[in-house]
């Protein structure tokens, strides 16, 4: 017995590509493409780069990233305060 395939049963390459494309979902996460300019401070730049993680998360996942970045930036600022600076000039 030979298997025959009718035209209706076959899918052309173009039709397969159309079927394989995901359906547009306006509620799906989408990159904001907000440019992040490097500051020159590696610790701060790492925190700012972490903001890119929100591009692939649903909105309810943004809070965790924002809080983490805020904590990291606050720690970087605190570390600046903890570093010893130049000695104070002597009092007259």
């Amino acid at each position: 017995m030979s298997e025959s395939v009718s035209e209706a049963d076959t899918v052309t390459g173009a039709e397969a590509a159309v079927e394989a494309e995901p359906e547009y979902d306006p509620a799906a996460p989408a990159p904001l493409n907000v440019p992040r300019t490097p500051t020159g401070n590696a610790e701060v730049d790492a925190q700012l780069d972490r903001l890119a993680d929100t591009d692939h998360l649903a909105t309810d996942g943004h809070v965790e990233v924002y809080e983490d970045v805020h904590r990291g930036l606050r720690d970087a600022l605190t570390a600046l305060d903890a570093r010893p600076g130049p000695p104070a000039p002597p009092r007259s």
Side-chain angles (χ1 to χ4, degrees):
M1 179 162 146
S2 79
E3 294 181 23
S4 66
V5 178
S6 69
E7 277 186 45
D9 293 336
T10 61
V11 177
T12 65
E15 291 171 337
V18 170
E19 290 177 10
E21 289 181 19
E23 208 173 288
Y24 174 70
D25 181 4
L32 296 175
N33 297 320
V34 175
R36 287 176 287 280
T37 306
T39 65
N41 181 307
E43 191 174 353
V44 171
D45 290 341
Q47 292 300 321
L48 294 177
D49 288 343
R50 170 95 164 88
L51 290 173
D53 293 347
T54 60
D55 288 348
H56 309 288
L57 297 173
T59 307
D60 59 352
H62 290 195
V63 173
E64 182 180 341
V65 174
Y66 293 153
E67 288 176 347
D68 183 46
V69 169
H70 182 256
R71 187 173 23 262
L73 292 173
R74 188 178 54 233
D75 291 347
L77 286 172
T78 301
L80 290 174
D81 288 340
R83 291 183 190 154
R91 292 186 176 178
S92 337

